[in-house]
Amino acid sequence: MLVVILIGVLIFVNVIMAFSLGLAAKPHKNVILENTLPKEVLEKPEVKALTKKYRLRLWQIAGIFSLLNFTMFLTQYESFLMTLFWLLLLIPMGAFYGTEIFYIRQMAQLKAKKGWQLPVTPILVDTKLTQTKNRKMLGFKYLIPAFILSVVLALIMLKSQNDNAVILSISLVVGGLISAGLLYGVKRLPVSAPTKDETINRQYNDLTKHDWSVVAVGSAYGILVALAMPFFASQLSGLWAQITVWLLLILVVGFSFLLVAYLISLRKKQDALLSQVTEFRYQGEDQYWRFGVYINESDHRLLLPDRIGLNMTMNLGRPMGKIFMGAIVLLVVGVLFATLIPIYLMDFTKDPFQAALKEDELVLKAPFAATSEVKLADIQQVTLVDKLKSPVERTSGYGGEDYSTGYYMVADKKATLYLDNRSLPFLKITTKNRDYYFTFKEEQKTKQLYQKLVTKLQSYSKA
């Protein structure tokens, strides 16, 4: 089941990458593949042939790697499976990005060869428009209800003693800051004057500011719902918990498609406005988009709309832009190693799951999982079981085909798992508020621990 899910995720990512990067081949504000062309040459056969070839290459990459994803069925170790997953995620991204850069340069060469260079016009400063540039955008007051709800929800989470309370509360804060930062970035966007027509420029600016502020505000409420539902699902049991989880998945997918559709609609409305004029102001910005991202040290902007019209991008020429990009790289590397190292330890070390029976407590450990110190006085029952009772829901930790570690809900009760799922039986330790499930890789060692623990509890109770 895990392999099927991973393959599905990879195929979905490939399709999304091919589709989104392919939009760069469709004219938007006279820009095709990060090159601004005269309006009259946008439909030239040479241009159409190059953009068609570019889109074809993207879908070829998506198809080839989607087929390669099925090699994941051939892996024997879970660590190899996850390594292959990361490789089949990152390598195609590099291939997509490299293809984009190659065809950006191909278009630049075609533009130079055909003499389609545009005269660079000075930046047009419209004082009246600058003073009222944010008149149509949603203000920060629209974030206040989301902020209040987030604080209330965070307090409820922390009081609930939920295993994920701290992580979810921090995520609420980070999500709110991201939404507020995006709205602030939209507010700081300078006036855009793509034409010589003041009326068109105002309509273009108002449209861009309004729609992007809607995205920023909407994301605040979307993040709130996305974090609230897993928490409330963990407080429910049985069918209602499963319904809540599925509802969350439907809402996340629906919100994602709605967001893309909304931004595509913004792009179409922008193009409709610009189609009303014959001249488009070119300010020489192509040179800053040579690598598909914006790099301009002299531009004070940190956030700005990309040229496809579906994203806000960072100016990597600014110090904060470089810091942010570096942080993303470090985050990806950290997640990669945090994902792979524990599985390699579980696959290729003799005793990845450890249990130490001390005078008055049992200590349970697993790679990169929280250590449990179970007081013998709190243990109500010790048994050997062949499977976990349904429903089994992971709240935080690792859950694969071979291993399960971390915090779970098992049969509607909090549980901590340290399991090699292939090694039966499992040792179940029951306490009032939480159950613990443990197994060594070797079945006999688990049974020996069970016998020792039973004997220890009997002598402990007599004492």
Side-chain angles (χ1 to χ4, degrees), residues 317-451:
R318 302 290 296 171
M320 279 303 300
K322 295 174 183 176
I323 292 173
F324 184 80
M325 181 57 66
I328 290 178
V329 172
L330 290 175
L331 178 62
V332 171
V333 172
V335 171
L336 189 153
F337 281 102
T339 304
L340 294 182
I341 291 176
I343 313 174
Y344 272 93
L345 290 173
M346 288 186 280
D347 267 343
F348 298 108
T349 56
K350 184 178 180 181
D351 292 313
F353 303 103
Q354 299 179 11
L357 186 55
K358 299 184 178 181
E359 186 64 28
D360 60 349
E361 66 180 9
L362 173 65
V363 180
L364 305 176
K365 296 181 179 180
F368 283 58
T371 298
S372 294
E373 298 176 349
V374 188
K375 298 295 183 183
L376 298 183
D378 295 333
I379 297 177
Q380 297 176 340
Q381 186 180 19
V382 179
T383 55
L384 291 174
V385 297
D386 289 328
K387 64 178 182 179
L388 303 180
K389 288 186 177 180
S390 298
V392 179
E393 299 170 4
R394 177 164 54 94
T395 56
S396 67
Y398 178 77
E401 296 287 350
D402 296 340
Y403 307 105
S404 300
T405 60
Y407 298 125
Y408 282 69
M409 292 291 292
V410 178
D412 301 326
K413 185 179 180 181
K414 290 182 179 181
T416 306
L417 275 55
Y418 305 89
L419 296 179
D420 181 332
N421 298 325
R422 301 161 297 180
S423 178
L424 298 175
F426 303 149
L427 173 62
K428 179 183 178 183
I429 303 163
T430 304
T431 66
K432 181 179 179 180
N433 297 319
R434 180 182 296 274
D435 292 339
Y436 300 86
Y437 294 85
F438 180 87
T439 180
F440 288 106
K441 273 192 169 183
E442 299 175 20
E443 173 187 338
Q444 193 59 36
K445 292 182 68 174
T446 304
K447 292 180 178 179
Q448 290 173 358
L449 175 62
Y450 166 73
Q451 294 294 340

Side-chain angles (χ1 to χ4, degrees), residues 30 37-40 118 194-197 200 273-281:
N30 287 22
L37 303 177
K39 192 172 184 178
E40 61 272 14
L118 289 169
T195 75
K196 295 180 180 180
D197 189 312
I200 296 295
L273 281 174
L274 297 178
S275 66
Q276 299 176 31
V277 297
T278 56
E279 290 189 41
F280 183 81
R281 293 178 58 83

Side-chain angles (χ1 to χ4, degrees), residues 216-237:
V217 172
S219 66
Y221 291 92
I223 291 171
L224 177 61
V225 172
L227 293 173
M229 292 189 71
F231 168 73
F232 288 116
S234 68
Q235 307 302 304
L236 301 173
S237 61

